[in-house]
Amino acid sequence: VASIELPHKQWPELVEALLSNTNQLPTHTRQATLETLGYICEEVSPDVIDQDQVNKILTAVVQGMNASESNNDVRLAATIALYNALSFAQANFSNDMERDYIMRVVCESTLSPELRIRQAAFECLVAISSTYYEKLAPYIQDIFNITAKAIKEDEEPVALQAVEFWSSICDEEIDILEEYGGDFTGDSDIPCFYFVKQALPALVPLLLETLLKQEEDQDQDEGAWNIAMAGGTCLGLVARTVGDDVVPLVMPFIEENITKPDWRQREAATYAFGSILEGPSPDKLMPLVNVALNFMLNALMNDPNNNVKDTTAWTLGRIFEFMHGSTLETPIITQANCQQIMTVLLQSMNDVPNVAEKACGALYFLAQGYEDVEQSSSPLTPFIHDTIQALLNVTHRADAGESRLRTAAYETLNEVVRCSTDDTAPIVIQLVPAIVRELDQTFAAQSVSSEEREKRNELQGLLCGCLQVMIQKLGSSEPTKSHFLQYADQMMTLFLRVFGSKSATAHEEAMLAIGALAYCAGSDFAKYMQEFYKYLEMGLQDFEDYQVCAITVGVVGDICRALEGNILPYCDGIMTQLLKNLSSNQLHRSVKPPIFSCFGDIALAIGENFEKYMVYAMPMLQGAAELSVHTSSADDDMIEYTNTLRNGILEAYSGIFQGFKGSAKIQLLMPFAPHVLQFLDSLFLEKDMDDVVTKTAIGVLGDLADTLGSNAGILIQQSLSSKDFLNDCLSSDDHLIKESAEWAKLAISRAISF
Amino acid sequence: MAPHDLRRQYKRPAISDQQRRRELSLRRQEQNRREAQLQARRLASTLLSLE
């Protein structure tokens, strides 16, 4: 009730009334009051409650947490309430005295004899680490001592929170350092305090110790989460935060444990090695990886323990993910060891499901490393046939439903196809009918239970995904395109049948595959439109699964480019739906920019026939343009979204102007020209466009000048965009911006020369 | 009140292949749109430079 009424200032006495309870006995009233305050803080936004009341809430809560409070239920309720109230405490965390007091009480609570209170207090520390990172410096030494003790000695729920504190600090520092790296001024809103680097010599041994506390068969339990998993995950984050410095601290542990008879020691050593492969420089890791690779291949084949094999296969995957690829100077996979690596990986696909799944993952990254090889041949060429066969065999295993094995096998097949080269194209072409057949067979079973139906939908999604990848790959060159297009009718029939299921994922995959097919089939796609249209409309109406909606909007663009003017008979329906979507408050905001871009695709395809939609589309574009000009005081996400929106609007204008080019109806666009130019000028003045928007914006100026010509000559000359903005873009380092600017310059010079 | 979920990605790649399929499709669509625009502009540029 409070969450509804407080934002409307309709229950002003509530907080005061609750606070008056906190000094009263009996304890259960105080406990219930603190719980209620906690719920309120969880539900309502911080700006709804006055600072004066926030202060009183925090005072009551912190008092409830104090050691002088003898009742554990009250202390626990107060600690949980503080967790929820932390986002209200901005002002209090800026005041040294108040912050010191809150931090002291939280730290004291981590030492409570009651496990639930200790756990809740550590939860508060985790939340503080991400919300108030920049205020932590005076307390970090004490917090290290407290977390270290908890990680070593406390019960698992508490120890997990203590590890999470350091993972969360790593998250913060990775974000800050990424911002430093991306910005040459070295500027970030929050400075990095290098807490992880400072704690490193003590923190790493602490984390390594946790790795030895694995549970038996933890890899077979999807929901498992324990101190060893948390410790290794944290170690991975530490490596990403500090880079090279972590390596000498971890290597002795690996060397000491990797050959021990106890599987826990071998697994922990392997997991430690796999965890530090992202972050340190390749120079630092390369010599170690070169030695480790052979050891890992042997372990994957011969270690008697499945946990060790699972982690070994995962570590091989990490080696291939971070230490293999065209950007690295010395290859770790060579002609000399490639055969052995492939033999081991393919053989591991017959291992227990969790190990086979990790082997598929390793193969995925191994293939990905060859993504950039020249198109004619690849070092993987000699192995492609056997690899595809092995992966297909995995998908047919009776136990492929366990450990996401089937999914991993199909996804690896996708990557192998993506990275295949001309010399293996015939093998990939042969795969098309095989996957088509698999998809066809999913429709064979008629009456199935809901569990089986779910499995079938998942499989259909995977197979559509696989076909999409093949369409995209084989459609990218003429000779292979003609070969696979012979299956187009069959594929399309099956994709349409997939829409009969109720699975959003399967719909999404089928839609993506159809988009890829439309692009490849070009004008021939027209023959599918009549049947496909109702599903297209259905996709556009799917607000709930907004990803499906977004993808369908993209597919409309594909179809526009494939059919050009022949899409006209379907445009009334499509435009009606798109306009409805734009007006809806229910549709996820991320779908709106692509809808504007889609207006441009439609206009470009149907040219002056777009006329009848202008009366609806133009006011929407103008309204959105005005809203999107200012981003001041917005957060990073909002700025990014605003730029995406601007780009969508500009792409719409671009398509509309280009679509009308040469038409007798260009006069219809004249009333909109002042607004478009004003929009471009405003964007230029705001100075917060990203490069993509800049490129699209200057391109629109060219399109406007090109289409309207001398009709808009004076308007263009008066605009800021045609001078300062254009000049800035002409001297840009970004070649796409420069290219668009050259175009604008040419079109403007013609428009104003008459 | 729901307890804070601690579970993080464990021995799984950061980006799923499904996410990659989406991203690659988007990239292809963006590229195709750019090519369609460029083609229209290129045609106009050729005509303009002939005038």
Side-chain angles (χ1 to χ4, degrees):
Chain A
V1 177
S3 72
I4 298 167
E5 298 214 342
L6 290 184
H8 296 99
K9 309 262 173 228
Q10 279 181 346
W11 199 358
E13 69 280 17
L14 169 68
V15 174
E16 293 292 345
L18 285 169
L19 289 168
S20 70
N21 275 351
T22 51
N23 295 322
Q24 282 175 10
L25 294 169
T27 50
H28 68 262
T29 315
R30 282 189 290 138
Q31 181 193 341
T33 302
L34 287 163
E35 279 170 359
T36 310
L37 286 170
Y39 286 132
I40 292 172
C41 292
E42 189 183 17
E43 288 298 322
V44 307
S45 146
D47 54 1
V48 165
I49 300 181
D50 298 338
Q51 185 59 42
D52 180 43
Q53 287 196 331
V54 170
N55 293 344
K56 288 180 184 164
I57 293 174
L58 285 170
T59 307
V61 165
V62 175
Q63 225 163 47
M65 289 172 72
N66 214 310
S68 61
E69 171 58 61
S70 55
N71 185 290
N72 275 344
D73 291 332
V74 174
R75 283 189 75 184
L76 178 64
T79 314
I80 295 171
L82 178 70
Y83 174 82
N84 287 309
L86 280 170
S87 55
F88 288 72
Q90 289 285 351
N92 313 78
F93 264 83
S94 298
N95 177 312
D96 291 354
M97 262 175 55
E98 290 184 42
R99 187 182 60 242
D100 282 349
Y101 185 55
I102 296 172
M103 290 303 291
R104 186 169 64 77
V105 174
V106 174
C107 289
E108 278 171 9
S109 300
T110 65
L111 307 172
S112 160
E114 172 72 31
L115 180 139
R116 290 174 309 154
I117 295 175
R118 293 201 302 279
Q119 185 183 348
F122 273 112
E123 279 187 44
C124 288
L125 278 183
V126 172
I128 290 168
S129 70
S130 56
T131 317
Y132 301 108
Y133 168 84
E134 72 275 21
K135 309 279 187 205
L136 279 180
Y139 318 104
I140 202 74
Q141 184 61 51
D142 287 340
I143 297 176
F144 179 82
N145 294 338
I146 293 167
T147 49
K149 194 167 162 17
I151 293 170
K152 271 194 247 175
E153 297 167 13
D154 213 327
E155 293 181 57
E156 193 163 65
V158 183
L160 283 173
Q161 293 292 347
V163 174
E164 180 63 17
F165 173 84
W166 288 101
S167 291
S168 165
I169 293 285
C170 288
D171 286 342
E172 293 303 312
E173 296 195 344
I174 289 168
D175 283 353
I176 297 170
L177 295 171
E178 244 170 45
E179 249 178 80
Y180 279 176
D183 190 338
F184 292 113
T185 59
D187 221 8
S188 164
D189 294 343
I190 301 169
C192 185
F193 288 94
Y194 299 97
F195 293 140
V196 180
K197 200 177 164 83
Q198 288 167 39
L200 203 62
L203 180 61
V204 169
L206 205 59
L207 295 173
L208 291 172
E209 212 177 299
T210 66
L211 301 187
L212 293 157
K213 298 179 181 169
Q214 310 94 323
E215 282 166 33
E216 200 82 48
D217 297 334
Q218 62 183 26
D219 294 315
Q220 281 151 49
D221 178 2
E222 282 278 307
W225 186 250
N226 58 43
I227 189 74
M229 293 167 149
T233 307
C234 187
L235 183 63
L237 290 166
V238 167
R240 286 177 54 200
T241 313
V242 304
D244 287 0
D245 294 350
V246 80
V247 177
L249 295 168
V250 175
M251 284 318 290
F253 177 85
I254 297 171
E255 283 155 9
E256 193 192 321
N257 290 290
I258 196 99
T259 52
K260 284 278 158 69
D262 180 356
W263 74 264
R264 286 173 200 281
Q265 289 175 281
R266 297 197 304 280
E267 197 277 340
T270 315
Y271 190 29
F273 188 62
S275 298
I276 59 164
L277 290 171
E278 186 185 9
S281 62
D283 284 351
K284 185 91 182 170
L285 292 174
M286 196 59 88
L288 305 171
V289 167
N290 273 324
V291 175
L293 186 59
N294 206 32
F295 184 92
M296 298 285 161
L297 292 169
N298 270 325
L300 184 54
M301 280 293 87
N302 302 319
D303 198 288
N305 182 279
N306 280 339
N307 300 60
V308 178
K309 281 208 253 183
D310 184 296
T311 303
T312 305
W314 171 77
T315 301
L316 282 167
R318 300 262 298 178
I319 291 176
F320 301 144
E321 184 176 4
F322 300 111
M323 302 296 294
H324 155 66
S326 60
T327 52
L328 291 141
E329 275 172 29
T330 17
I332 53 150
I333 303 175
T334 59
Q335 260 189 327
N337 65 13
C338 195
Q339 172 77 56
Q340 188 203 0
I341 293 170
M342 291 303 293
T343 307
V344 170
L345 291 181
L346 296 192
Q347 216 165 313
S348 292
M349 289 189 192
N350 302 316
D351 212 316
V352 291
N354 58 303
V355 175
E357 183 228 341
K358 304 297 188 305
C360 287
L363 190 54
Y364 186 102
F365 289 112
L366 188 146
Q368 195 169 76
Y370 292 120
E371 207 170 37
D372 303 327
V373 296
E374 54 176 300
Q375 195 46 44
S376 57
S377 187
S378 151
L380 281 187
T381 293
F383 311 101
I384 287 280
H385 179 270
D386 289 353
T387 303
I388 290 178
Q389 202 47 54
L391 289 167
L392 287 176
N393 290 344
V394 170
T395 67
H396 294 136
R397 276 173 61 156
D399 56 3
E402 292 170 34
S403 293
R404 290 182 75 254
L405 177 58
R406 185 174 285 115
T407 305
Y410 276 121
E411 293 189 337
T412 305
L413 195 58
N414 290 344
E415 193 56 19
V416 169
V417 169
R418 282 190 199 107
C419 302
S420 62
T421 42
D422 292 347
D423 55 356
T424 46
I427 302 174
V428 177
I429 291 172
Q430 275 177 14
L431 188 58
V432 179
I435 301 294
V436 165
R437 210 165 35 244
E438 299 272 346
L439 183 56
D440 190 31
Q441 277 165 7
T442 64
F443 296 103
Q446 282 303 318
S447 58
V448 285
S449 70
S450 68
E451 196 189 333
E452 281 170 322
R453 222 173 12 244
E454 206 176 302
K455 276 187 190 159
R456 187 180 69 176
N457 292 340
E458 198 189 325
L459 180 57
Q460 286 174 345
L462 289 169
L463 291 165
C464 287
C466 207
L467 286 171
Q468 182 221 331
V469 173
M470 286 192 275
I471 294 168
Q472 216 147 305
K473 180 73 191 180
L474 297 171
S476 62
S477 86
E478 284 304 321
T480 52
K481 186 158 113 176
S482 57
H483 271 100
F484 100 87
L485 275 175
Q486 60 179 310
Y487 304 104
D489 289 356
Q490 257 177 297
M491 280 193 269
M492 196 61 195
T493 309
L494 292 168
F495 295 150
L496 296 182
R497 285 183 77 184
V498 172
F499 290 122
S501 77
K502 290 200 164 37
S503 155
T505 314
H507 285 199
E508 185 185 326
E509 298 289 356
M511 195 55 87
L512 282 172
I514 289 174
L517 187 62
Y519 166 62
C520 292
S523 57
D524 286 344
F525 190 81
K527 63 178 172 178
Y528 305 122
M529 272 309 282
Q530 210 165 0
E531 261 192 280
F532 172 51
Y533 179 73
K534 69 172 173 185
Y535 301 110
L536 188 76
E537 204 168 63
M538 239 168 65
L540 293 177
Q541 288 165 347
D542 196 347
F543 286 15
E544 206 176 318
D545 306 302
Y546 70 89
Q547 295 275 21
V548 175
C549 186
I551 276 156
T552 312
V553 171
V555 170
V556 172
D558 283 327
I559 296 171
C560 286
R561 287 180 286 274
L563 302 190
E564 298 182 332
N566 290 330
I567 196 174
L568 191 59
Y570 304 97
C571 282
D572 281 357
I574 293 170
M575 280 301 291
T576 307
Q577 195 54 48
L578 291 179
L579 289 162
K580 250 191 224 172
N581 289 8
L582 279 179
S583 318
S584 165
N585 292 328
Q586 285 167 292
L587 183 63
H588 195 275
R589 69 174 192 177
S590 65
V591 191
K592 298 195 175 180
I595 292 179
F596 284 125
S597 305
C598 190
F599 282 178
D601 299 335
I602 294 172
L604 193 61
I606 65 172
E608 62 177 26
N609 289 304
F610 196 77
E611 174 190 353
K612 62 174 168 175
Y613 309 121
M614 298 247 297
V615 63
Y616 310 105
M618 289 315 235
M620 291 244 185
L621 282 163
Q622 285 183 346
E626 276 158 30
L627 275 178
S628 81
V629 167
H630 304 291
T631 55
S632 50
S633 79
D635 59 29
D636 287 354
D637 282 351
M638 195 58 200
I639 292 173
E640 196 186 326
Y641 176 72
T642 307
N643 273 320
T644 319
L645 187 63
R646 290 166 172 176
N647 194 54
I649 296 163
L650 291 164
E651 285 188 327
Y653 284 138
S654 199
I656 293 168
F657 281 117
Q658 284 184 351
F660 273 78
K661 163 95 182 172
S663 151
K665 295 180 178 171
I666 56 165
Q667 285 302 330
L668 289 169
L669 295 176
M670 277 306 291
F672 303 106
H675 166 80
V676 174
L677 289 167
Q678 205 182 344
F679 178 45
L680 297 177
D681 286 356
S682 312
L683 289 179
F684 174 62
L685 290 171
E686 281 290 310
K687 303 272 178 223
D688 59 358
M689 277 183 280
D690 61 23
D691 285 353
V692 177
V693 178
T694 308
K695 181 215 73 182
T696 318
I698 205 66
V700 168
L701 181 67
D703 297 331
L704 182 148
D706 180 40
T707 297
L708 300 182
S710 58
N711 296 304
I714 294 171
L715 273 176
I716 294 168
Q717 268 182 308
Q718 285 167 348
S719 74
L720 204 58
S721 302
S722 66
K723 300 182 194 78
D724 298 353
F725 185 22
L726 181 61
N727 285 334
D728 278 7
C729 293
L730 283 168
S731 54
S732 168
D733 295 332
D734 184 319
H735 87 276
L736 290 175
I737 294 178
K738 210 170 170 169
E739 184 184 52
S740 293
E742 296 287 354
W743 154 246
K745 187 181 161 191
L746 185 71
I748 290 172
S749 68
R750 176 182 173 250
I752 60 177
S753 68
F754 287 101
Chain B
M1 261 163 268
H4 173 67
D5 188 13
L6 288 172
R7 217 160 294 170
R8 287 171 178 257
Q9 203 76 301
Y10 173 69
K11 290 204 245 174
R12 292 255 187 269
I15 299 174
S16 70
D17 193 70
Q18 190 188 8
Q19 187 59 23
R20 242 183 122 215
R21 290 199 291 276
R22 272 184 202 147
E23 281 169 13
L24 289 172
S25 292
L26 270 179
R27 214 184 298 167
R28 177 186 58 74
Q29 286 166 344
E30 273 165 25
Q31 201 180 330
N32 294 346
R33 178 177 293 132
R34 197 166 57 229
E35 275 164 19
Q37 275 175 356
L38 274 180
Q39 205 186 346
R41 286 175 189 167
R42 220 171 275 143
L43 194 67
S45 301
T46 320
L47 293 176
L48 289 180
S49 55
L50 287 175
E51 280 173 11

